[in-house]
Amino acid sequence: MRNISFHQPVSVFVGLGFPREVGDVLDAYKLLNEWPQSSRDADHLTALHACAAVLGGHGTVSDARDALEVFAAARGILAPEALQKSADAHIQEWLAA
């Protein structure tokens, strides 16, 4: 079986804001496949197809990882970006008080 691990995991927030490390294409595919139908968009479809291609023996692991990052960033669940947005919001609230 070919290596489907990401060179570095993608950290995303799921559920009630719990972080999840997505370490390979299969984990990414499962996350995307479990995503609510009503919240799926073009970025979701692109990432899902990229992961499916790798699992089917086509495509590249780096393309799947990149597509997952684009999806997560667009949804605001990419961990580093989500943490920064949260911190910025708290700073703005504190400054406004």
Side-chain angles (χ1 to χ4, degrees):
M1 180 176 190
R2 78 188 247 205
N3 183 7
I4 59 170
S5 296
F6 294 148
H7 69 278
Q8 181 178 355
V10 177
S11 297
V12 296
F13 287 107
V14 295
L16 298 173
F18 293 103
R20 176 174 170 181
E21 295 287 315
V22 181
D24 62 34
V25 175
L26 184 57
D27 285 345
Y29 183 81
K30 288 177 183 178
L31 172 77
L32 293 162
N33 203 38
E34 294 168 358
W35 200 259
Q37 291 282 342
S38 61
S39 297
R40 295 182 181 193
D41 59 10
D43 291 328
H44 175 273
L45 188 61
T46 298
L48 188 65
H49 285 183
C51 291
V54 173
L55 295 173
H58 310 288
T60 68
V61 172
S62 63
D63 285 347
R65 186 184 185 285
D66 290 347
L68 176 63
E69 274 195 329
V70 168
F71 164 74
R75 300 299 301 169
I77 62 167
L78 189 60
E81 291 180 8
L83 286 174
Q84 186 60 50
K85 286 180 185 179
S86 178
D88 290 345
H90 287 294
I91 289 169
Q92 291 304 318
E93 287 175 16
W94 182 77
L95 290 174

